[in-house]
Coordinates of all heavy atoms in Angstrom, one line a residue:
M1 N 0.8 -1.2 0.0 CA 0.0 0.0 0.0 C 0.9 1.3 0.0 O 1.8 1.3 0.7 CB -0.9 0.0 1.3 CG -2.2 0.7 1.1 SD -3.2 0.4 2.5 CE -3.3 2.1 3.1
L2 N 0.5 2.2 -0.8 CA 1.3 3.4 -0.9 C 0.6 4.6 -0.1 O -0.6 4.6 0.1 CB 1.4 3.9 -2.4 CG 2.0 2.8 -3.3 CD1 2.1 3.4 -4.8 CD2 3.4 2.4 -2.9
A3 N 1.5 5.5 0.3 CA 1.0 6.6 1.1 C 0.2 7.6 0.2 O -0.8 8.2 0.7 CB 2.2 7.4 1.7
E4 N 0.6 7.7 -1.0 CA -0.1 8.7 -1.9 C -1.4 8.1 -2.4 O -1.5 7.0 -2.9 CB 0.8 8.9 -3.2 CG 2.1 9.7 -2.9 CD 1.8 11.2 -2.5 OE1 1.1 11.8 -3.4 OE2 2.2 11.6 -1.5
P5 N -2.5 8.9 -2.3 CA -3.8 8.4 -2.9 C -3.8 8.6 -4.4 O -2.9 9.3 -5.0 CB -4.8 9.3 -2.2 CG -4.0 10.6 -1.9 CD -2.6 10.2 -1.6
C6 N -4.7 7.9 -5.1 CA -4.8 7.9 -6.5 C -5.1 9.3 -7.0 O -6.0 10.0 -6.5 CB -5.9 7.0 -7.0 SG -6.3 7.1 -8.7
P7 N -4.3 9.9 -7.9 CA -4.5 11.2 -8.4 C -5.9 11.4 -9.1 O -6.4 12.5 -9.2 CB -3.4 11.5 -9.4 CG -2.8 10.1 -9.7 CD -3.2 9.2 -8.6
K8 N -6.4 10.3 -9.6 CA -7.7 10.4 -10.4 C -8.9 10.5 -9.5 O -9.8 11.3 -9.6 CB -7.9 9.2 -11.3 CG -7.0 9.3 -12.6 CD -7.3 8.1 -13.5 CE -6.2 8.0 -14.6 NZ -6.3 6.7 -15.3
D9 N -9.0 9.5 -8.5 CA -10.2 9.5 -7.7 C -9.9 9.4 -6.2 O -10.8 9.1 -5.4 CB -11.1 8.3 -8.1 CG -10.3 7.0 -8.1 OD1 -9.2 6.9 -7.5 OD2 -10.8 6.0 -8.7
G10 N -8.6 9.5 -5.8 CA -8.3 9.5 -4.3 C -8.3 8.1 -3.7 O -8.3 8.0 -2.5
G11 N -8.4 7.1 -4.6 CA -8.4 5.7 -4.1 C -7.1 5.2 -3.5 O -6.1 5.9 -3.7
I12 N -7.1 4.1 -2.8 CA -5.9 3.6 -2.2 C -5.1 2.9 -3.3 O -5.6 2.1 -4.1 CB -6.3 2.5 -1.1 CG1 -7.0 3.3 0.1 CG2 -5.0 1.8 -0.6 CD1 -7.7 2.3 1.0
Q13 N -3.8 3.2 -3.3 CA -2.9 2.6 -4.4 C -2.0 1.5 -3.8 O -1.6 1.6 -2.7 CB -2.1 3.7 -5.0 CG -2.9 4.8 -5.7 CD -2.0 5.7 -6.5 OE1 -1.9 5.7 -7.7 NE2 -1.2 6.5 -5.8
V14 N -1.8 0.5 -4.6 CA -0.9 -0.6 -4.2 C 0.1 -0.8 -5.3 O -0.2 -0.5 -6.5 CB -1.7 -1.9 -4.0 CG1 -2.5 -1.9 -2.7 CG2 -2.5 -2.3 -5.2
R15 N 1.3 -1.2 -4.9 CA 2.3 -1.5 -5.9 C 2.4 -3.0 -6.1 O 2.5 -3.8 -5.1 CB 3.7 -1.0 -5.4 CG 4.7 -1.0 -6.5 CD 6.1 -0.5 -5.9 NE 6.1 0.9 -5.5 CZ 6.3 1.9 -6.4 NH1 6.5 1.6 -7.7 NH2 6.3 3.1 -6.0
Y16 N 2.4 -3.4 -7.3 CA 2.4 -4.8 -7.6 C 3.4 -5.1 -8.8 O 3.1 -4.5 -9.9 CB 1.0 -5.4 -7.9 CG 1.0 -6.9 -8.2 CD1 1.2 -7.8 -7.2 CD2 0.9 -7.3 -9.5 CE1 1.2 -9.2 -7.4 CE2 0.9 -8.7 -9.8 CZ 1.0 -9.6 -8.7 OH 1.0 -10.9 -9.0
R17 N 4.4 -5.8 -8.6 CA 5.4 -6.1 -9.6 C 5.9 -4.8 -10.3 O 5.9 -4.7 -11.6 CB 4.9 -7.1 -10.7 CG 4.6 -8.4 -10.0 CD 4.3 -9.5 -11.0 NE 4.1 -10.7 -10.3 CZ 4.2 -11.9 -10.8 NH1 4.6 -12.1 -12.1 NH2 4.0 -13.0 -10.2
G18 N 6.2 -3.8 -9.5 CA 6.8 -2.6 -10.1 C 5.8 -1.6 -10.7 O 6.2 -0.5 -11.1
K19 N 4.5 -2.0 -10.7 CA 3.5 -1.1 -11.2 C 2.6 -0.7 -10.1 O 2.3 -1.4 -9.2 CB 2.7 -1.7 -12.3 CG 3.5 -1.8 -13.7 CD 2.6 -2.5 -14.7 CE 2.4 -1.7 -15.9 NZ 1.6 -2.4 -16.9
V20 N 2.0 0.6 -10.3 CA 1.1 1.1 -9.2 C -0.3 0.9 -9.7 O -0.7 1.2 -10.9 CB 1.4 2.6 -8.9 CG1 0.3 3.1 -8.0 CG2 2.8 2.7 -8.3
Y21 N -1.2 0.3 -8.9 CA -2.6 0.1 -9.2 C -3.5 0.8 -8.2 O -3.1 0.8 -7.0 CB -2.9 -1.3 -9.3 CG -2.1 -2.1 -10.3 CD1 -1.0 -2.7 -10.0 CD2 -2.6 -2.1 -11.7 CE1 -0.2 -3.4 -11.0 CE2 -1.9 -2.8 -12.6 CZ -0.7 -3.4 -12.3 OH 0.0 -4.1 -13.2
C22 N -4.6 1.3 -8.7 CA -5.6 1.9 -7.8 C -6.6 0.9 -7.4 O -7.1 0.2 -8.3 CB -6.2 3.1 -8.4 SG -7.6 3.8 -7.5
T23 N -6.9 0.7 -6.1 CA -7.8 -0.3 -5.7 C -9.3 0.1 -6.0 O -10.2 -0.8 -6.0 CB -7.7 -0.6 -4.2 OG1 -7.8 0.6 -3.5 CG2 -6.4 -1.3 -3.9
S24 N -9.5 1.4 -6.4 CA -10.9 1.8 -6.7 C -11.2 1.6 -8.2 O -12.2 1.1 -8.6 CB -11.1 3.3 -6.3 OG -10.6 3.5 -5.0
H25 N -10.3 2.2 -9.1 CA -10.7 2.1 -10.5 C -9.9 1.1 -11.3 O -10.3 0.9 -12.5 CB -10.6 3.6 -11.0 CG -9.2 4.0 -11.4 ND1 -8.4 4.8 -10.6 CD2 -8.4 3.8 -12.5 CE1 -7.2 5.0 -11.1 NE2 -7.2 4.4 -12.3
D26 N -8.9 0.5 -10.8 CA -8.2 -0.5 -11.7 C -8.8 -1.9 -11.4 O -9.1 -2.2 -10.2 CB -6.7 -0.5 -11.3 CG -5.9 0.6 -12.1 OD1 -6.3 0.9 -13.2 OD2 -5.0 1.1 -11.5
D27 N -8.9 -2.7 -12.4 CA -9.4 -4.0 -12.2 C -8.3 -5.0 -11.7 O -7.5 -5.4 -12.5 CB -10.0 -4.5 -13.6 CG -10.6 -5.9 -13.4 OD1 -10.8 -6.4 -12.3 OD2 -11.0 -6.5 -14.5
L28 N -8.3 -5.2 -10.4 CA -7.2 -6.0 -9.8 C -7.3 -7.5 -10.2 O -6.3 -8.2 -10.2 CB -7.2 -5.8 -8.3 CG -7.0 -4.4 -7.8 CD1 -7.0 -4.3 -6.3 CD2 -5.6 -3.8 -8.3
S29 N -8.4 -8.0 -10.5 CA -8.5 -9.4 -10.9 C -7.8 -9.7 -12.1 O -7.2 -10.8 -12.3 CB -10.0 -9.8 -11.0 OG -10.6 -9.1 -12.1
S30 N -7.7 -8.8 -13.1 CA -7.0 -9.0 -14.3 C -5.5 -9.1 -14.1 O -4.8 -9.7 -14.9 CB -7.4 -7.9 -15.3 OG -6.8 -6.7 -15.0
I31 N -5.0 -8.4 -13.1 CA -3.6 -8.4 -12.8 C -3.1 -9.7 -12.3 O -2.1 -10.3 -12.8 CB -3.3 -7.3 -11.7 CG1 -3.7 -5.9 -12.2 CG2 -1.8 -7.3 -11.3 CD1 -3.8 -4.9 -11.0
T32 N -3.9 -10.3 -11.4 CA -3.5 -11.6 -10.8 C -3.6 -12.7 -11.8 O -2.8 -13.6 -11.9 CB -4.3 -11.9 -9.5 OG1 -5.6 -11.5 -9.8 CG2 -3.8 -11.1 -8.4
E33 N -4.6 -12.6 -12.7 CA -4.8 -13.6 -13.8 C -3.7 -13.5 -14.8 O -3.1 -14.5 -15.2 CB -6.1 -13.4 -14.5 CG -7.3 -14.0 -13.7 CD -8.6 -13.5 -14.3 OE1 -8.6 -13.1 -15.5 OE2 -9.6 -13.6 -13.6
G34 N -3.3 -12.2 -15.1 CA -2.3 -12.0 -16.1 C -0.9 -12.4 -15.7 O 0.0 -12.5 -16.5
S35 N -0.7 -12.6 -14.4 CA 0.7 -13.0 -13.9 C 1.1 -14.4 -14.2 O 2.2 -14.7 -14.2 CB 0.8 -12.7 -12.4 OG -0.1 -13.6 -11.7
A36 N 0.1 -15.3 -14.6 CA 0.4 -16.6 -14.9 C 0.8 -16.7 -16.4 O 0.0 -16.5 -17.3 CB -0.8 -17.5 -14.7
V37 N 2.1 -16.9 -16.7 CA 2.6 -17.0 -18.0 C 2.8 -18.4 -18.4 O 3.4 -19.2 -17.7 CB 3.9 -16.2 -18.2 CG1 4.5 -16.4 -19.6 CG2 3.7 -14.7 -17.8
S38 N 2.2 -18.8 -19.5 CA 2.4 -20.2 -19.9 C 3.7 -20.4 -20.7 O 4.1 -19.5 -21.4 CB 1.2 -20.6 -20.8 OG 1.5 -20.6 -22.1
Y39 N 4.2 -21.6 -20.5 CA 5.5 -22.0 -21.1 C 5.4 -21.9 -22.6 O 6.2 -21.4 -23.3 CB 5.8 -23.4 -20.7 CG 7.2 -23.9 -21.2 CD1 8.3 -23.3 -20.7 CD2 7.2 -24.9 -22.1 CE1 9.6 -23.8 -21.1 CE2 8.4 -25.4 -22.6 CZ 9.6 -24.8 -22.1 OH 10.8 -25.3 -22.5
D40 N 4.2 -22.4 -23.2 CA 4.0 -22.4 -24.6 C 4.0 -21.0 -25.2 O 4.5 -20.8 -26.3 CB 2.6 -23.1 -24.9 CG 2.8 -24.6 -24.9 OD1 3.9 -25.1 -24.9 OD2 1.7 -25.2 -25.0
T41 N 3.4 -20.1 -24.5 CA 3.3 -18.7 -24.9 C 4.8 -18.1 -25.0 O 5.1 -17.4 -26.0 CB 2.5 -17.8 -23.9 OG1 1.3 -18.4 -23.7 CG2 2.3 -16.4 -24.4
V42 N 5.6 -18.4 -24.0 CA 6.9 -17.8 -24.0 C 7.7 -18.5 -25.2 O 8.5 -17.7 -25.9 CB 7.6 -18.1 -22.7 CG1 9.1 -17.7 -22.7 CG2 6.9 -17.4 -21.6
V43 N 7.6 -19.8 -25.4 CA 8.3 -20.4 -26.5 C 7.9 -19.9 -27.8 O 8.8 -19.6 -28.7 CB 8.1 -22.0 -26.4 CG1 8.6 -22.7 -27.7 CG2 8.8 -22.6 -25.2
T44 N 6.6 -19.7 -28.0 CA 6.1 -19.2 -29.3 C 6.6 -17.8 -29.5 O 7.1 -17.4 -30.6 CB 4.6 -19.1 -29.3 OG1 4.1 -20.4 -29.0 CG2 4.0 -18.7 -30.6
Q45 N 6.6 -16.9 -28.5 CA 7.1 -15.6 -28.6 C 8.6 -15.6 -28.9 O 9.1 -14.8 -29.7 CB 6.9 -14.8 -27.3 CG 5.7 -13.9 -27.3 CD 5.4 -13.3 -26.0 OE1 6.2 -13.4 -25.0 NE2 4.3 -12.6 -25.9
M46 N 9.3 -16.4 -28.2 CA 10.8 -16.5 -28.4 C 11.1 -16.9 -29.8 O 12.0 -16.3 -30.4 CB 11.4 -17.4 -27.4 CG 12.8 -17.4 -27.3 SD 13.4 -17.8 -25.7 CE 15.2 -17.4 -25.9
R47 N 10.4 -17.9 -30.3 CA 10.6 -18.3 -31.7 C 10.4 -17.2 -32.7 O 11.2 -17.0 -33.6 CB 9.7 -19.5 -32.0 CG 10.0 -20.1 -33.4 CD 9.1 -21.3 -33.7 NE 9.4 -22.5 -32.9 CZ 8.6 -23.1 -32.1 NH1 7.4 -22.6 -31.9 NH2 8.9 -24.1 -31.4
E48 N 9.4 -16.4 -32.5 CA 9.1 -15.3 -33.4 C 10.2 -14.2 -33.3 O 10.6 -13.7 -34.3 CB 7.7 -14.6 -33.0 CG 6.6 -15.4 -33.5 CD 5.2 -14.9 -33.0 OE1 5.2 -13.8 -32.4 OE2 4.3 -15.6 -33.0
V49 N 10.6 -13.9 -32.1 CA 11.7 -12.9 -31.9 C 13.0 -13.4 -32.6 O 13.6 -12.6 -33.3 CB 11.9 -12.6 -30.4 CG1 13.1 -11.7 -30.2 CG2 10.7 -11.9 -29.8
I50 N 13.3 -14.6 -32.3 CA 14.6 -15.1 -32.9 C 14.5 -15.1 -34.4 O 15.5 -14.7 -35.1 CB 14.9 -16.5 -32.3 CG1 15.1 -16.5 -30.8 CG2 16.2 -17.1 -33.0 CD1 15.2 -17.8 -30.2
L51 N 13.4 -15.6 -35.0 CA 13.3 -15.6 -36.4 C 13.4 -14.2 -37.0 O 14.1 -14.0 -38.0 CB 11.9 -16.2 -36.8 CG 11.9 -17.8 -36.8 CD1 10.5 -18.3 -37.1 CD2 12.9 -18.3 -37.8
R52 N 12.8 -13.3 -36.4 CA 12.8 -11.9 -36.8 C 14.3 -11.4 -36.8 O 14.8 -10.8 -37.8 CB 12.0 -11.0 -36.0 CG 11.5 -9.7 -36.7 CD 10.6 -8.9 -35.8 NE 9.5 -9.6 -35.2 CZ 9.2 -9.5 -33.9 NH1 9.8 -8.7 -33.1 NH2 8.2 -10.2 -33.4
R53 N 15.0 -11.7 -35.7 CA 16.4 -11.2 -35.5 C 17.3 -11.9 -36.5 O 18.2 -11.3 -37.1 CB 16.8 -11.6 -34.1 CG 16.3 -10.6 -33.1 CD 16.7 -9.2 -33.4 NE 16.4 -8.3 -32.3 CZ 16.7 -7.1 -32.3 NH1 17.4 -6.6 -33.3 NH2 16.4 -6.3 -31.3
L54 N 17.0 -13.2 -36.7 CA 17.8 -14.0 -37.7 C 17.7 -13.4 -39.1 O 18.6 -13.3 -39.8 CB 17.4 -15.4 -37.6 CG 18.3 -16.5 -38.2 CD1 19.7 -16.4 -37.6 CD2 17.7 -17.9 -37.9
N55 N 16.5 -13.0 -39.4 CA 16.2 -12.4 -40.7 C 16.9 -11.1 -40.9 O 17.5 -10.8 -41.9 CB 14.7 -12.2 -40.8 CG 14.2 -11.8 -42.2 OD1 14.8 -12.3 -43.2 ND2 13.2 -11.0 -42.3
E56 N 16.9 -10.3 -39.8 CA 17.6 -9.0 -39.8 C 19.1 -9.2 -40.0 O 19.7 -8.4 -40.7 CB 17.3 -8.2 -38.5 CG 15.9 -7.6 -38.5 CD 15.5 -7.1 -37.1 OE1 16.4 -7.1 -36.2 OE2 14.3 -6.7 -36.9
T57 N 19.6 -10.1 -39.2 CA 21.0 -10.4 -39.2 C 21.5 -10.9 -40.6 O 22.5 -10.4 -41.1 CB 21.4 -11.4 -38.2 OG1 20.9 -11.0 -36.9 CG2 22.9 -11.6 -38.0
T58 N 20.7 -11.7 -41.2 CA 21.0 -12.2 -42.5 C 21.0 -11.1 -43.6 O 21.8 -11.0 -44.4 CB 19.9 -13.3 -43.0 OG1 19.9 -14.3 -41.9 CG2 20.3 -14.0 -44.3
A59 N 20.0 -10.2 -43.4 CA 19.9 -9.1 -44.4 C 21.1 -8.2 -44.2 O 21.7 -7.7 -45.2 CB 18.6 -8.3 -44.1
A60 N 21.5 -7.9 -43.0 CA 22.7 -7.1 -42.7 C 24.0 -7.7 -43.2 O 24.9 -7.1 -43.8 CB 22.8 -6.8 -41.2
L61 N 24.0 -9.0 -43.1 CA 25.2 -9.8 -43.6 C 25.4 -9.7 -45.1 O 26.5 -9.6 -45.6 CB 25.0 -11.3 -43.1 CG 26.2 -12.2 -43.3 CD1 27.4 -11.7 -42.5 CD2 25.8 -13.6 -42.8
A62 N 24.3 -9.7 -45.8 CA 24.3 -9.6 -47.2 C 25.0 -8.4 -47.8 O 25.6 -8.4 -48.8 CB 22.9 -9.7 -47.8
T63 N 24.9 -7.3 -47.0 CA 25.5 -6.0 -47.5 C 26.8 -5.6 -46.7 O 27.4 -4.6 -47.1 CB 24.5 -4.9 -47.4 OG1 24.0 -4.8 -46.0 CG2 23.3 -5.1 -48.3
E64 N 27.2 -6.4 -45.8 CA 28.3 -6.1 -44.9 C 29.6 -6.3 -45.7 O 29.8 -7.4 -46.3 CB 28.3 -6.9 -43.6 CG 29.3 -6.5 -42.6 CD 29.2 -5.0 -42.3 OE1 28.2 -4.6 -41.7 OE2 30.2 -4.3 -42.6
R65 N 30.5 -5.3 -45.6 CA 31.8 -5.4 -46.3 C 33.0 -5.4 -45.3 O 34.1 -5.8 -45.7 CB 32.0 -4.2 -47.3 CG 31.0 -4.3 -48.5 CD 31.5 -5.2 -49.6 NE 30.6 -5.4 -50.6 CZ 29.7 -6.4 -50.7 NH1 29.7 -7.3 -49.8 NH2 28.9 -6.5 -51.8
D66 N 32.7 -5.1 -44.1 CA 33.8 -5.1 -43.1 C 33.9 -6.5 -42.5 O 33.0 -7.0 -41.9 CB 33.4 -4.0 -42.0 CG 34.4 -4.0 -40.8 OD1 35.5 -4.6 -41.0 OD2 34.0 -3.5 -39.8
P67 N 35.1 -7.1 -42.7 CA 35.3 -8.5 -42.2 C 35.0 -8.7 -40.7 O 34.4 -9.7 -40.3 CB 36.7 -8.8 -42.5 CG 37.1 -7.9 -43.6 CD 36.3 -6.6 -43.3
A68 N 35.4 -7.7 -39.9 CA 35.2 -7.8 -38.4 C 33.7 -7.8 -38.1 O 33.3 -8.6 -37.2 CB 35.9 -6.7 -37.7
R69 N 33.0 -6.9 -38.7 CA 31.6 -6.8 -38.5 C 30.8 -8.1 -39.0 O 29.9 -8.5 -38.4 CB 31.1 -5.5 -39.2 CG 29.6 -5.2 -39.0 CD 29.3 -4.6 -37.7 NE 27.8 -4.5 -37.6 CZ 27.1 -5.1 -36.7 NH1 27.7 -5.8 -35.7 NH2 25.8 -4.9 -36.6
E70 N 31.3 -8.5 -40.2 CA 30.8 -9.7 -40.8 C 30.9 -10.9 -39.8 O 30.0 -11.7 -39.7 CB 31.5 -10.0 -42.1 CG 30.8 -10.8 -43.1 CD 31.6 -11.0 -44.4 OE1 32.0 -10.0 -44.9 OE2 31.7 -12.2 -44.8
D71 N 32.1 -11.0 -39.2 CA 32.4 -12.1 -38.3 C 31.4 -12.0 -37.1 O 30.9 -13.1 -36.6 CB 33.8 -11.9 -37.7 CG 34.2 -13.1 -36.9 OD1 34.1 -14.2 -37.4 OD2 34.6 -12.9 -35.7
Q72 N 31.1 -10.8 -36.6 CA 30.1 -10.6 -35.5 C 28.8 -11.1 -35.9 O 28.1 -11.8 -35.2 CB 30.1 -9.1 -35.1 CG 31.2 -8.7 -34.2 CD 31.0 -7.2 -33.9 OE1 30.2 -6.5 -34.5 NE2 31.8 -6.7 -32.9
L73 N 28.4 -10.7 -37.1 CA 27.0 -11.1 -37.6 C 26.9 -12.6 -37.8 O 25.8 -13.1 -37.4 CB 26.8 -10.4 -39.0 CG 26.5 -8.8 -38.9 CD1 26.5 -8.2 -40.3 CD2 25.2 -8.5 -38.1
V74 N 27.9 -13.2 -38.3 CA 27.9 -14.7 -38.5 C 27.8 -15.4 -37.1 O 27.0 -16.3 -37.0 CB 29.2 -15.2 -39.2 CG1 29.2 -16.7 -39.2 CG2 29.1 -14.7 -40.7
S75 N 28.5 -14.9 -36.1 CA 28.5 -15.6 -34.8 C 27.1 -15.3 -34.1 O 26.6 -16.1 -33.4 CB 29.6 -15.1 -33.9 OG 29.3 -14.1 -33.1
L76 N 26.6 -14.1 -34.4 CA 25.2 -13.8 -33.9 C 24.2 -14.7 -34.5 O 23.3 -15.3 -33.8 CB 24.9 -12.3 -34.2 CG 23.8 -11.6 -33.4 CD1 24.2 -11.6 -31.9 CD2 23.7 -10.2 -33.9
A77 N 24.2 -14.8 -35.8 CA 23.3 -15.7 -36.5 C 23.4 -17.1 -36.0 O 22.4 -17.8 -35.9 CB 23.5 -15.6 -38.0
S78 N 24.6 -17.5 -35.8 CA 24.8 -18.9 -35.3 C 24.2 -19.1 -34.0 O 23.6 -20.2 -33.7 CB 26.3 -19.1 -35.3 OG 26.6 -20.2 -34.5
K79 N 24.3 -18.1 -33.1 CA 23.7 -18.2 -31.8 C 22.2 -18.3 -31.9 O 21.5 -19.0 -31.1 CB 24.1 -17.0 -30.9 CG 25.5 -17.2 -30.3 CD 25.9 -15.9 -29.6 CE 27.4 -16.0 -29.3 NZ 27.8 -14.6 -28.9
Y80 N 21.6 -17.4 -32.7 CA 20.2 -17.4 -32.9 C 19.7 -18.8 -33.4 O 18.7 -19.3 -32.9 CB 19.8 -16.4 -33.9 CG 19.8 -14.9 -33.4 CD1 20.2 -13.9 -34.3 CD2 19.5 -14.6 -32.1 CE1 20.2 -12.6 -33.8 CE2 19.6 -13.3 -31.7 CZ 20.0 -12.3 -32.5 OH 20.0 -11.0 -32.1
F81 N 20.5 -19.3 -34.3 CA 20.1 -20.6 -34.9 C 20.2 -21.7 -33.9 O 19.3 -22.6 -33.8 CB 21.1 -20.9 -36.1 CG 20.5 -21.8 -37.1 CD1 19.5 -21.4 -37.9 CD2 20.9 -23.2 -37.2 CE1 19.0 -22.3 -38.9 CE2 20.4 -24.0 -38.1 CZ 19.4 -23.6 -38.9
E82 N 21.2 -21.7 -33.1 CA 21.3 -22.7 -32.0 C 20.2 -22.6 -31.0 O 19.6 -23.6 -30.6 CB 22.6 -22.3 -31.2 CG 23.6 -23.5 -31.2 CD 24.9 -23.0 -30.5 OE1 24.9 -22.9 -29.2 OE2 25.9 -22.7 -31.2
L83 N 19.8 -21.4 -30.7 CA 18.7 -21.1 -29.7 C 17.4 -21.7 -30.3 O 16.6 -22.3 -29.6 CB 18.6 -19.6 -29.5 CG 18.0 -19.2 -28.2 CD1 18.7 -19.8 -27.0 CD2 18.2 -17.6 -28.1
L84 N 17.2 -21.4 -31.6 CA 16.0 -21.9 -32.3 C 15.9 -23.4 -32.2 O 14.8 -23.9 -32.0 CB 16.1 -21.5 -33.8 CG 15.3 -20.3 -34.2 CD1 15.4 -20.2 -35.7 CD2 13.8 -20.4 -33.8
Q85 N 17.0 -24.1 -32.4 CA 17.0 -25.5 -32.3 C 16.8 -26.1 -31.0 O 16.4 -27.2 -30.8 CB 18.3 -26.1 -33.0 CG 18.3 -25.8 -34.5 CD 19.5 -26.3 -35.1 OE1 20.6 -26.2 -34.6 NE2 19.4 -26.8 -36.3
K86 N 17.1 -25.3 -30.0 CA 17.0 -25.7 -28.6 C 15.5 -25.6 -28.1 O 15.1 -26.3 -27.2 CB 17.8 -24.9 -27.6 CG 19.3 -25.3 -27.6 CD 20.1 -24.5 -26.7 CE 21.6 -24.8 -26.8 NZ 22.4 -23.8 -26.2
L87 N 14.8 -24.8 -28.8 CA 13.4 -24.6 -28.4 C 12.6 -25.9 -28.8 O 12.8 -26.5 -29.8 CB 12.7 -23.4 -29.2 CG 13.2 -22.0 -28.8 CD1 12.5 -21.0 -29.7 CD2 12.9 -21.7 -27.4
P88 N 11.6 -26.2 -27.9 CA 10.8 -27.4 -28.2 C 10.1 -27.3 -29.5 O 9.5 -26.3 -29.7 CB 9.9 -27.5 -27.0 CG 10.0 -26.2 -26.3 CD 11.2 -25.6 -26.7
Q89 N 10.1 -28.3 -30.3 CA 9.4 -28.3 -31.6 C 8.0 -28.8 -31.4 O 7.7 -29.7 -30.6 CB 10.1 -29.2 -32.6 CG 11.6 -28.9 -32.8 CD 11.8 -27.5 -33.3 OE1 11.1 -27.0 -34.2 NE2 12.8 -26.7 -32.8
K90 N 7.1 -28.3 -32.2 CA 5.7 -28.7 -32.1 C 5.4 -29.8 -33.0 O 6.0 -29.9 -34.1 CB 4.8 -27.5 -32.4 CG 4.7 -26.6 -31.1 CD 3.6 -25.6 -31.3 CE 3.6 -24.7 -30.0 NZ 2.7 -23.5 -30.2
Ligands
ZN101 ZN1 -8.1 5.5 -8.9

């Protein structure tokens, strides 16, 4: 519970996971439900992020002329690829 009342309606505010919520106007039930993250959701999200990054890295590699930078990009792509293969397949 925080000392400062809600600036909107003067309600009691609580801090939860780094965010401030008002007990009068914020729907607190959605916060507790939202805290349960499913493993599948994370894996799906991670796969999407890695694929996007891998795509960007490949595009950058195609136009890169500096050998040192090229080396960085190749090792980066290799890590992304490794990570992708570590993710559980559906
Ligand atoms: Zn409020």
Side-chain angles (χ1 to χ4, degrees):
M1 208 173 117
L2 303 178
E4 291 289 305
C6 172
K8 284 183 192 165
D9 55 16
I12 295 165
Q13 296 189 107
V14 288
R15 191 185 292 277
Y16 181 76
R17 296 192 180 204
K19 282 177 126 181
V20 175
Y21 297 94
C22 170
T23 51
S24 314
H25 80 263
D26 279 325
D27 183 10
L28 297 178
S29 63
S30 69
I31 300 163
T32 42
E33 279 167 23
S35 63
V37 175
S38 97
Y39 183 70
D40 278 351
T41 308
V42 175
V43 167
T44 306
Q45 259 176 5
M46 189 149 190
R47 186 180 288 120
E48 279 170 19
V49 170
I50 296 169
L51 278 173
R52 205 180 310 137
R53 286 301 192 175
L54 197 53
N55 188 36
E56 285 168 9
T57 308
T58 307
L61 190 60
T63 54
E64 189 54 64
R65 291 280 175 262
D66 176 17
R69 182 80 187 116
E70 203 178 309
D71 187 58
Q72 279 182 349
L73 288 171
V74 169
S75 93
L76 198 61
S78 162
K79 279 176 195 165
Y80 287 146
F81 204 72
E82 238 175 76
L83 205 54
L84 259 186
Q85 291 179 322
K86 280 179 187 168
L87 291 178
Q89 305 297 319
K90 278 188 182 173

